[in-house]
Amino acid sequence: MRVCVIGAGAAGMTASVFLAREGADVILVEKNEKFGKKLYITGKGRCNLTNDCELADLFQNVVRGEKFLRSSLYGFTPQNTMSFFEDLGLKLVVERGNRVFPFSQKSSDVIKALQIEIDNLGVDVKLDSEVKSIKKTDDGFCVVTAWENIKCDKVVVATGGMSYPSTGSTGDGYAFAKSFGLKIVEPRQALAPIIVKQNVSALQGISLKNVNLCANDENGKEIASEFGEMLFTNRGLSGPIALTISSYINRKQNVVLFLDLKPALDENTLDRRVLRDFDERKNQDIKNVTRALLPERLNAYVLKCAGIAESKKVNEITKEERAKLVKTIKNLRFDVQSLAPFTEAIVTSGGVDLKCLKPTCESKDVDGLYFVGETIDVDALTGGFNLQLAFATAVCAARDIIKKSAQSAEKVNKCGI
């Protein structure tokens, strides 16, 4: 059985290994000049491989595709991923939040471990070979590259999404899917910085801890709420909680964000704190008093949003102004304009519609055609979960191909008897 795997990223390399180990004749085609170009930059070059958590926790971190992914993830758990790489000789370390990294802290070692195994298994690797099209033939498929036509029995498309297009993730798999009539859910940025309509350039670089960010839809209904760390950019919000929120709002319109700068205090408690500070420093400018609550540049921004002049004396602040200040600190509003472009998005949300695929990642209408990893409409939060989805779907597809090949061989044998 001959299988063509398109894309030498996390999913493509993993599928190739599992197929070749079971005796399949594997051709791995990659348009870049080397393996794992996107994998190389994941986790800031450290490569957060997976998350050493229970499956229940993993599913809680899946944003889209949880039901579809059950077969894949039960069949290849985070612990299976860890064992797989350890068996390849890669030493691992589990860090805060159960995040799994190579002990060396080098993504290149992850790629090297996979590449060595691929070489040892005799996989036919074709680098610098961009696939132009996939055609169905009477006895399988013909994968057309810039240099040759590759005939095969099965095809695994593992070309990634559209995030970080400089690494080669330019949505090629979507074009292949469309050519076979498969529906594509519009690709959108996920785990991306949020661009807001307000001018926040003065806040660029301010990092906040222990804050709460809430996203509401146009009807005021809460979409998501996250507590933790955040960072202001020159155009909006980034950092862990903003990136997480982005994955939940990327298919929504007219989203409004509310940032609670003091979530540990309710409005009444915060008001008493502010009033106490006011009583102690009645004759000072308000900006000098509220600076105890907020970083200097953010302090100026909050006062402006509350409609209070920075130079106004504390003893001139009315009860209504104080109430507005407290409410602003607890509900600093930002209107979402868009998400940062795919060049800044960690993963892609969208892709091949799951309704077009079997749980094994095979097309329902085209036998022998599989889509895995970021090509399909699944995505998860940060923490190693997205790579886990890539590995699990790749293994699921590979196992299904091997299983069907064995069943076909058995039928042939029976007919021969």
Side-chain angles (χ1 to χ4, degrees), residues 34-83:
K34 59 184 179 182
F35 289 80
K37 208 165 183 180
K38 184 175 179 183
L39 193 59
Y40 183 77
I41 64 172
T42 59
K44 297 180 180 178
R46 298 172 61 218
C47 194
N48 183 186
L49 277 172
T50 187
N51 193 287
D52 188 18
C53 65
E54 298 298 323
L55 280 177
D57 293 327
L58 193 161
F59 285 119
Q60 287 182 355
N61 283 276
V62 174
V63 179
R64 291 178 186 85
E66 177 190 343
K67 186 177 179 181
F68 176 86
L69 289 164
R70 287 190 173 271
S71 294
S72 297
L73 292 172
Y74 275 107
F76 198 71
T77 66
Q79 291 70 37
N80 292 143
T81 296
M82 294 172 68
S83 296

Side-chain angles (χ1 to χ4, degrees), residues 345-357:
I346 295 175
V347 295
T348 304
S349 173
V352 178
D353 194 326
L354 302 182
K355 294 177 183 176
C356 298
L357 303 175

Side-chain angles (χ1 to χ4, degrees), residues 35-213:
F35 289 80
K37 208 165 183 180
K38 184 175 179 183
L39 193 59
Y40 183 77
I41 64 172
T42 59
K44 297 180 180 178
R46 298 172 61 218
C47 194
N48 183 186
L49 277 172
T50 187
N51 193 287
D52 188 18
C53 65
E54 298 298 323
L55 280 177
D57 293 327
L58 193 161
F59 285 119
Q60 287 182 355
N61 283 276
V62 174
V63 179
R64 291 178 186 85
E66 177 190 343
K67 186 177 179 181
F68 176 86
L69 289 164
R70 287 190 173 271
S71 294
S72 297
L73 292 172
Y74 275 107
F76 198 71
T77 66
Q79 291 70 37
N80 292 143
T81 296
M82 294 172 68
S83 296
F84 169 64
F85 279 101
E86 287 171 338
D87 290 343
L88 293 180
L90 185 70
K91 191 175 180 181
L92 304 176
V93 61
V94 180
E95 299 185 3
R96 181 172 60 90
N98 294 320
R99 298 176 184 224
V100 180
F101 293 88
F103 183 79
S104 65
Q105 304 290 296
K106 295 179 180 178
S107 58
S108 57
D109 287 342
V110 177
I111 299 167
K112 189 183 299 181
L114 287 165
Q115 188 171 352
I116 289 172
E117 182 70 359
I118 285 170
D119 291 341
N120 289 340
L121 290 167
V123 173
D124 183 5
V125 178
K126 298 179 183 295
L127 300 176
D128 280 318
S129 296
E130 183 176 358
V131 173
K132 300 297 184 179
S133 65
I134 305 170
K135 298 177 180 179
K136 190 77 176 74
T137 62
D138 292 338
D139 56 353
F141 297 89
C142 179
V143 176
V144 180
T145 75
W147 312 108
E148 62 184 317
N149 294 343
I150 302 170
K151 293 183 178 180
C152 55
D153 303 301
K154 312 279 186 182
V155 175
V156 179
V157 180
T159 50
M162 294 182 68
S163 60
Y164 297 120
S166 61
T167 64
S169 294
T170 52
D172 297 359
Y174 308 147
F176 302 148
K178 284 181 180 179
S179 72
F180 285 98
L182 277 68
K183 181 183 176 182
I184 301 297
V185 176
E186 183 183 353
R188 297 179 185 274
Q189 306 92 312
L191 300 178
I194 302 171
I195 299 173
V196 300
K197 294 178 181 179
Q198 287 82 355
N199 181 0
V200 295
S201 57
L203 304 179
Q204 182 178 5
I206 295 178
S207 179
L208 302 174
K209 293 184 178 181
N210 302 320
V211 294
N212 196 85
L213 186 64

